[in-house]
Amino acid sequence: MPKKIVVIEDEPDIIGLVTLYLEKEGYRVTAVRDGVKGFQHLRTEPPDLLILDIMLPEMDGLEICRRVRADSKTAALPIIMLTAKGEESDKIVGLELGADDYLVKPFSPKELVARVKALLRRAERREAAPDRYVYGDLVLDPVRHEVRLKGLEIVLTAKEFGLLERLLKECGRVLTRDALLDKVWGYDADVISRTVDVHIRRLREKIPLLKDRIQTVKPFGYKLKEEP
Ligand code: CA
């Protein structure tokens, strides 16, 4: 089955170029030109990947991104954002809202194809739901609830463990404090976002390997760098 990619973009030239190159790679491409219709399409026929322009008629790309992440049907959908040159702030907001990658226009179609392939690979790995996570010398085993660094067990609290598991699962992605609170502590937990910072600090202290690899993405949250 060919992978399905939706492009939400209002510029015909870019639609043409993106479609041409992606179809040449064997992907099935659907282009939608306005934000509202695009979002509806995602909900009725969730694709394998979304290429999303920011400046769109009816509903902008940032709002689409936010809604896609908030809906459990589409929450895991890989998203590449297209930003116009000079819209640096959009890029940051886009990543904060959960876009996985971005390209600044004008971009090379070959670069786009490379990013699409990388993201689809990453999504496949995530879907495979490994019975354990390996990150360099670090191994986290969710079933045995165990973390080992070079074979030696590291004792973590339940929340530290949950936080590390989430970082490993979403490796390479920016995770906001709110997203981490939601996933690790749960919606109704009576905690403040500072709590996340405290636990991240403890993880960095307990596991020296992670000291520099858990990156602070100001002012939003954290990201675990891709495995070396
Ligand atoms: Ca546009």
Side-chain angles (χ1 to χ4, degrees):
M1 275 286 280
K3 296 270 186 195
K4 201 181 137 200
I5 298 176
V6 165
V7 184
I8 308 181
E9 163 67 89
D10 57 330
E11 288 168 60
D13 290 355
I14 296 188
I15 292 175
L17 197 68
V18 167
T19 306
L20 177 75
Y21 274 80
L22 290 176
E23 283 183 346
K24 222 159 60 180
E25 294 292 324
Y27 299 115
R28 233 173 75 220
V29 183
T30 306
V32 189
R33 288 197 190 185
D34 88 62
V36 171
K37 288 203 186 88
F39 181 67
Q40 279 163 359
H41 185 87
L42 297 178
R43 299 215 55 218
T44 48
E45 278 181 71
D48 297 294
L49 185 137
L50 170 64
I51 296 171
L52 182 60
D53 187 30
I54 290 185
M55 299 287 279
L56 288 166
E58 307 307 326
M59 188 195 295
D60 73 26
L62 296 176
E63 180 60 20
I64 293 175
C65 189
R66 201 183 59 72
R67 292 190 187 196
V68 163
R69 286 291 175 258
D71 185 338
S72 61
K73 236 173 130 180
T74 51
L77 176 63
I79 301 175
I80 298 178
M81 279 224 167
L82 304 179
T83 66
K85 223 176 185 169
E87 286 173 358
E88 200 74 350
S89 58
D90 282 346
K91 179 187 95 186
I92 296 169
V93 175
L95 290 175
E96 196 252 346
L97 290 173
D100 296 281
D101 206 349
Y102 66 91
L103 280 168
V104 179
K105 294 179 193 173
F107 52 83
S108 111
K110 282 184 185 160
E111 181 64 25
L112 176 75
V113 168
R115 305 279 186 99
V116 164
K117 284 185 179 169
L119 260 189
L120 285 172
R121 267 201 310 272
R122 203 202 282 174
E124 261 168 24
R125 280 208 304 270
R126 201 176 291 144
E127 261 166 39
D131 49 0
R132 47 185 217 149
Y133 297 93
V134 179
Y135 185 86
D137 292 329
L138 186 70
V139 179
L140 180 144
D141 186 330
V143 179
R144 297 165 77 165
H145 215 270
E146 207 175 72
V147 176
R148 289 181 183 272
L149 184 65
K150 291 186 178 167
L152 294 174
E153 190 171 359
I154 293 172
V155 179
L156 299 179
T157 66
K159 293 301 178 213
E160 288 163 0
F161 187 92
L163 194 56
L164 179 59
E165 186 177 3
R166 180 53 50 175
L167 287 166
L168 288 165
K169 189 173 180 158
E170 308 271 341
C171 185
R173 264 190 175 182
V174 177
L175 294 165
T176 63
R177 290 187 180 81
D178 281 349
L180 288 168
L181 278 176
D182 177 26
K183 300 283 189 210
V184 180
W185 277 264
Y187 265 119
D188 42 27
D190 187 18
V191 287
I192 52 165
S193 55
R194 243 352 95 186
T195 309
V196 175
D197 300 341
V198 172
H199 282 77
I200 291 278
R201 199 177 65 224
R202 291 205 197 120
L203 273 184
R204 283 173 170 152
E205 283 165 6
K206 286 187 177 178
I207 308 171
L209 168 74
L210 299 179
K211 200 169 165 235
D212 301 317
R213 306 215 57 92
I214 300 178
Q215 296 180 309
T216 306
V217 183
K218 282 181 179 168
F220 308 118
Y222 298 95
K223 174 176 127 175
L224 180 62
K225 277 211 248 175
E226 297 269 7
E227 206 183 329

